[in-house]
Amino acid sequence: MRANLVNAVLSGADLGAADLRNADLRGAVLSGADLRAADLRGADLRTADLRWAYLRAAKLDEKTQIEDKWRLVWEIVTQGAAGRDLNGANLNGANLVLAELSGPT
């Protein structure tokens, strides 16, 4: 079943480990939400507000529809930034808590 959370206001919500597979979260306000270990595989997060959302260990896949900026943030917090060229990247509003940002020394 596909949860319809279009334009839902979930600011600051604790959605850690929530099963949001295939959920329609277009336009949802998830600013400051804890999405740690949430299952977002196949979810539609286009136009969702993910400013300051905690995405560490959240599960995304190739079917997850998410803006490039937020996929990059997810990649950084789950896989680190080493070897990435972040020159010109807009990370405004990104929650990079515990992200590994060091590069080669």
Side-chain angles (χ1 to χ4, degrees):
M1 185 146 81
R2 180 179 170 129
N4 182 350
L5 296 166
V6 173
N7 297 322
V9 178
L10 300 166
S11 295
D14 182 355
L15 298 169
D19 184 353
L20 295 168
R21 284 177 291 173
N22 301 311
D24 191 346
L25 290 153
R26 288 175 294 149
V29 180
L30 294 159
S31 56
D34 183 352
L35 293 164
R36 174 186 11 220
D39 193 342
L40 296 166
R41 292 176 291 183
D44 189 343
L45 291 150
R46 291 176 292 176
T47 68
D49 179 357
L50 292 165
R51 289 176 295 158
W52 297 106
Y54 190 70
L55 295 170
R56 188 157 184 90
K59 299 176 186 98
L60 276 65
D61 64 10
E62 67 281 349
K63 293 180 185 175
T64 304
Q65 297 177 56
I66 188 169
E67 293 174 27
D68 291 341
K69 171 184 179 173
W70 299 118
R71 187 172 293 272
L72 175 61
V73 169
W74 172 77
E75 288 173 356
I76 290 170
V77 298
T78 59
Q79 302 161 18
R84 292 183 192 277
D85 181 2
L86 299 176
N87 192 22
N90 176 1
L91 299 175
N92 185 37
N95 183 346
L96 299 174
V97 171
L98 300 178
E100 176 58 53
L101 301 174
S102 63
T105 55

